[in-house]
Amino acid sequence: MMKTSPVYVAIASIFAATTSFAASSFEQELQQGCAKVKQYAQAGKKFYDQKQYAKAVKQFEDQAAWAHFCQLNAEESGIRMTDRDIEIANNNVGLSYAKLGKPQWASVWFLRNKDTKTSQYNLKQLPKPQISKDLQGSYVRANGFGQWDYITVKKQQNRYLIDFEGYYFGLRGLIYGPNLGSFDTTMPITAKQANYRYEDCLIQLQFSNDPKHGQKIKVEQNNAGSSCGFGHNVYAGGTFYKVENK
């Protein structure tokens, strides 16, 4: 026992030092990122005023992501973000996409704060969505920290190929990265519903049209407790709106 004790102490010391370093590194990255939120907003506005909307989108997306992330990690960042700060950032992204001629992307960004007066006003300014019989395209559902889950639909002969990519962002997920989950299935070209099965997991996808927000997919996962082969806490259920036609 006397011979193994120093080794145990050394290992414990290394573990403690590693844990301490990881916490310190996270806090440093967090504080640096949170300190840039105002810079992202200012740079976005500059590009927006210059009508460089693609560049404005990138800055405003960073503003939105970090505003939410910093709000949830306020104790460690020392920077306070309000719900209004996040709403403004999301609407900044939406307005930039609208100027780029991408109303579908603008709509989903406004929908992140759908109950606020600002978002409701901006949604009303968008053109009425064009509904296509073709289901091909990219569909998204809002995830944490300004991120998105994706469903991609492609046509192959007499069927659609459907791919899902989902994420779970933990409290520190914007820095440490998310858990991942994915599945793929097919659907006849004439159908509007598809299924995916994995062990005791059943996922149903229902395609339909929303007169206000365009084409959408309602996804139902039969068991929230089932992993469906996904990473921890990744969940497929929810409503996905089309943002790209191809």
Side-chain angles (χ1 to χ4, degrees), residues 62-204:
D62 286 341
Q63 178 195 3
W66 280 95
H68 188 200
F69 190 61
C70 297
Q71 183 191 54
L72 295 185
N73 291 277
E75 290 187 8
E76 290 180 89
S77 72
I79 298 176
R80 302 290 173 178
M81 293 288 168
T82 66
D83 290 345
R84 177 61 176 164
D85 292 327
I86 298 170
E87 176 197 347
I88 289 172
N90 290 338
N91 274 273
N92 284 344
V93 183
L95 290 170
S96 300
Y97 271 118
K99 289 293 187 179
L100 277 173
K102 296 185 176 183
Q104 294 160 296
W105 266 116
S107 178
V108 294
W109 275 97
F110 295 148
L111 284 172
R112 294 185 81 103
N113 306 96
K114 62 181 180 180
D115 295 326
T116 66
K117 291 183 179 180
T118 301
S119 296
Q120 290 174 358
Y121 173 83
N122 287 331
L123 281 166
K124 290 178 181 178
Q125 308 312 306
L126 296 175
K128 186 177 180 180
Q130 296 181 353
I131 306 299
S132 171
K133 292 183 179 180
D134 190 348
L135 303 181
Q136 290 185 101
S138 297
Y139 299 72
V140 299
R141 177 191 61 183
N143 204 319
F145 310 138
Q147 308 304 307
W148 303 92
D149 294 332
Y150 285 82
I151 292 178
T152 304
V153 181
K154 296 181 180 180
K155 189 183 295 183
Q156 185 184 75
Q157 297 178 348
N158 63 343
R159 63 179 183 169
Y160 286 113
L161 307 181
I162 302 170
D163 291 294
F164 164 80
E165 291 185 7
Y167 308 90
Y168 170 72
F169 287 86
L171 186 60
R172 298 186 172 191
L174 197 61
I175 290 176
Y176 287 159
N179 297 332
L180 310 177
S182 64
F183 72 80
D184 61 83
T185 187
T186 62
M187 181 178 72
I189 205 83
T190 56
K192 292 293 180 68
Q193 181 174 317
N195 297 322
Y196 169 76
R197 291 183 181 275
Y198 178 86
E199 297 180 350
D200 63 340
C201 171
L202 171 63
I203 296 175
Q204 296 178 306

Side-chain angles (χ1 to χ4, degrees), residues 107 123 127-129 209-214:
S107 178
L123 281 166
K128 186 177 180 180
N209 298 321
D210 185 316
K212 291 184 178 180
H213 308 304

Side-chain angles (χ1 to χ4, degrees), residues 4-48:
T4 59
S5 180
V7 175
Y8 172 79
V9 172
I11 292 173
S13 298
I14 292 171
F15 177 78
T18 302
T19 302
S20 176
F21 175 77
S24 175
S25 176
F26 170 80
E27 187 172 315
Q28 184 178 26
E29 287 190 59
L30 174 68
Q31 291 173 349
Q32 290 174 349
C34 294
K36 293 180 180 179
V37 173
K38 288 186 178 180
Q39 296 177 30
Y40 293 138
Q42 292 169 352
K45 184 179 184 304
K46 176 184 175 181
F47 288 130
Y48 188 92

